[in-house]
Amino acid sequence: MRALVGRELRLALRHPADTLSAVLFFVLVAALFPFGVGPSPELLARLAPGALLASALLAALLPLDRLFGAEAEDGSLDQLLLSGLHPAAIAAAKALGHWCTTGIPLVLATPVAAAFLNLPIEAWGVAMLSLGLASAILSVFGAAGAALTLGARRGGVLLPLLVLPLAIPAVIFGAAAIEAAASGLEARPYLLLEAAILALAAPLAPLAAGAALRGD
Amino acid sequence: MENAPTQDAPRQPGAPTSLHRFANPGRFLRLTDNWLPWLAGAALLVLGSGVVWALLLAPPDWQQGETVRIMFVHVPMAWLAMGGYLGLAILSVMSLIWRHPLADLTARELAPVGAAVTALCLITGSLWGRPMWGTYWVWDARLTSVLVLFFLWLGHVALVRAFDDPERGARMGAILALVGVVNLPIVKFSVDWWNTLHQPASVTRLDAPAMHVDILYPLLWCTLGFSLAFAAVVLAATRAAVMERRVRALQMAAARRADAAPATLRGARA
């Protein structure tokens, strides 16, 4: 499983375009909000938590539909399934790989997007934490969604339909945490709730993904 | 060879009295052929009288006035949306464990009905919310979780139909349905966990329901009627699906025969 995660990371390092495009997408969407609602700083700061979360999740969705696609096409997914590794472990490794190659870069790009959106600087740390948790939640649900839609017609359209509703709680608590931090309140309870969702999803969603991978 | 099981159920010779008896699509068709008219008739009767009772005879509420009549549709739809999803989850378990072709078909046909019921629940709720709460929609915990339930239904409908191999579609839909079960307790308890706009449960409580029998009885009668109608629609759709698969199996067989015949002719000529 460690080898699989390592392989994901090496693949991402050799093809940095995917990671880069997700990060660029995130920053660009965040930069679109000021044009949409006008550059008034107070309004932007009010919108920032939700806008950050929503654009980060959309950006993290981008590479998901190819998560298993390439491997299913060249047959290495079948090899992996035959390797004796539990399918759930494969899915978990993939989710971890997705988070490392998409979630962490998004977290690193958060200050840029936060500056665009005029988020108070005291809230940046919480914003990075909250985005890290939210993207991890999206990674595990997304791995399950990608496994489910593997081989489906219009799989790329189906995937957001399946994954985004499940990510709503992450958006609610993630944005609440950033908002609390921005207005000088305690962000900890919201972050803990977000972490609780991750703690619940991280062991369960790979099971579903593994069952879907074994599927046929 | 996904059409093979439609001919007759994959039956175990030793266990004719178990639940697997009903796995036989042929027996299912014969049984429902007898039941369905009764079920549909009962649904029409109960629903027809329920509508008259709820819309004409039941008194208006002292606070909500005439808008309380929306509840006679809204509440049964909400219960059916959740009960139907529970049914979908049970069918999914059966489909994953026993590879039950009839459970697959029923789940496939149940999902659009469930999505429609959930949509009706949301629509009637927002129609009621406009005069009562002053808004069609708020991001209240109950409304949000029911919206997620609606997306889960739609996702199931789309996912099951997105595969060329219907069996794989059924498998994926079953897994999705089981993942979505986490949402059910959230829908149920959302009004207790978050103190937002939607009122807490007033019928299914441990003590007596918090409404007068003049409203409660027609509500329960309407619920019975809508449930019967729901079951009748799902059964009819499943029957149609079973027959559709049989027709396709026959057509495939005919096509294979037609395919084989010219080949032998060509072989004879050569």
Side-chain angles (χ1 to χ4, degrees):
Chain A
M1 186 176 162
R2 202 174 302 151
L4 192 53
V5 177
R7 176 170 169 277
E8 288 293 303
L9 295 183
R10 272 199 304 282
L11 274 177
L13 273 180
R14 284 174 199 165
H15 300 278
D18 282 358
T19 303
L20 216 61
S21 64
V23 171
L24 271 180
F25 182 85
F26 168 56
V27 174
L28 275 177
V29 171
L32 272 183
F33 277 91
F35 296 115
V37 299
S40 133
E42 305 82 56
L43 188 62
L44 277 182
R46 181 84 192 75
L47 275 177
L52 276 179
L53 254 294
S55 33
L57 289 191
L58 290 181
L61 268 180
L62 280 183
L64 268 181
D65 62 330
R66 297 299 296 160
L67 192 61
F68 295 107
E71 264 123 11
E73 275 160 22
D74 67 12
S76 49
L77 184 65
D78 294 323
Q79 296 285 340
L80 280 175
L81 286 170
L82 284 175
S83 69
L85 205 56
H86 195 276
I90 299 176
K94 286 295 229 175
L96 187 60
H98 173 261
W99 186 69
C100 290
T101 57
T102 316
I104 291 180
L106 284 179
V107 169
L108 296 180
T110 301
V112 182
F116 281 170
L117 291 169
N118 195 36
L119 188 72
I121 201 159
E122 308 83 66
W124 286 14
V126 171
M128 291 174 77
L129 252 179
S130 160
L131 245 69
L133 287 170
S135 58
I137 293 170
L138 191 86
S139 290
V140 285
F141 280 137
L148 279 173
T149 53
L150 184 62
R153 285 171 272 136
R154 307 178 302 272
V157 190
L158 255 176
L159 183 63
L161 179 65
L162 300 185
V163 174
L164 283 181
L166 293 173
I168 287 178
V171 176
I172 294 175
F173 294 121
I178 305 178
E179 208 169 308
S183 48
L185 298 172
E186 183 69 62
R188 205 175 128 81
Y190 298 110
L191 287 177
L192 286 179
L193 274 170
E194 215 183 340
I197 298 173
L198 177 61
L200 192 69
L204 293 181
L207 282 181
L213 282 181
R214 210 173 35 206
D216 42 11
Chain B
M1 281 292 97
E2 92 268 345
N3 287 315
T6 45
Q7 311 309 337
D8 248 340
R11 72 184 79 194
Q12 284 87 15
T17 50
S18 70
L19 198 65
H20 294 276
R21 223 151 39 100
F22 297 102
N24 182 330
R27 183 174 282 120
F28 170 80
L29 282 183
R30 280 196 298 283
L31 275 179
T32 50
D33 197 33
N34 291 329
W35 293 350
L36 195 58
W38 291 101
L39 194 63
L44 268 182
L45 205 68
V46 174
L47 205 54
S49 55
V51 164
V52 172
W53 191 357
L55 295 189
L56 300 176
L57 303 180
D61 187 74
W62 69 281
Q63 266 184 327
Q64 305 175 16
E66 299 290 343
T67 55
V68 74
R69 302 191 195 286
I70 295 177
M71 288 297 124
F72 293 119
V73 181
H74 176 70
V75 175
M77 288 302 158
W79 284 341
L80 276 176
M82 289 176 64
Y85 198 88
L86 193 64
L88 183 71
I90 293 170
L91 286 172
S92 303
V93 170
M94 287 165 68
S95 142
L96 284 178
I97 295 178
W98 292 297
R99 298 288 148 102
H100 197 315
L102 202 55
D104 287 349
L105 276 182
T106 313
R108 182 190 161 97
E109 300 304 325
L110 173 67
V113 188
V117 163
T118 314
L120 275 175
C121 167
L122 287 168
I123 292 170
T124 51
S126 82
L127 287 179
W128 179 88
R130 180 67 203 167
M132 284 301 111
W133 294 342
T135 170
Y136 283 117
W137 186 262
V138 278
W139 290 102
D140 154 274
R142 170 60 70 84
L143 276 66
T144 311
S145 52
V146 173
L147 189 66
V148 171
L149 182 65
F150 179 55
F151 284 137
L152 284 170
W153 279 115
L154 285 188
H156 187 275
V157 170
L159 187 65
V160 165
R161 285 157 180 75
F163 291 91
D164 292 324
D165 172 10
E167 239 179 274
R168 185 171 163 83
R171 195 83 30 77
M172 298 298 130
I175 296 171
L176 175 71
L178 290 182
V179 171
V181 168
V182 270
N183 190 35
L184 275 192
I186 299 181
V187 173
K188 170 75 183 110
F189 296 110
S190 55
V191 286
D192 304 326
W193 291 343
W194 291 280
N195 196 5
T196 40
L197 205 47
H198 197 286
Q199 53 272 54
S202 48
V203 179
T204 48
R205 308 199 308 180
L206 285 180
D207 46 348
M211 62 174 80
H212 193 265
V213 287
D214 280 348
I215 301 229
L216 180 64
Y217 287 164
L219 175 61
L220 294 179
W221 192 247
C222 279
T223 305
L224 179 66
F226 279 120
S227 309
L228 287 171
F230 186 90
V233 170
V234 172
L235 268 187
T238 311
R239 277 174 58 83
V242 171
M243 289 193 258
E244 213 172 272
R245 277 181 72 159
R246 291 199 157 177
V247 167
R248 214 178 51 223
L250 288 176
Q251 280 173 340
M252 298 279 265
R256 266 198 298 276
R257 271 199 304 279
D259 235 17
T264 50
L265 278 182
R266 269 200 302 279
R269 223 179 288 131

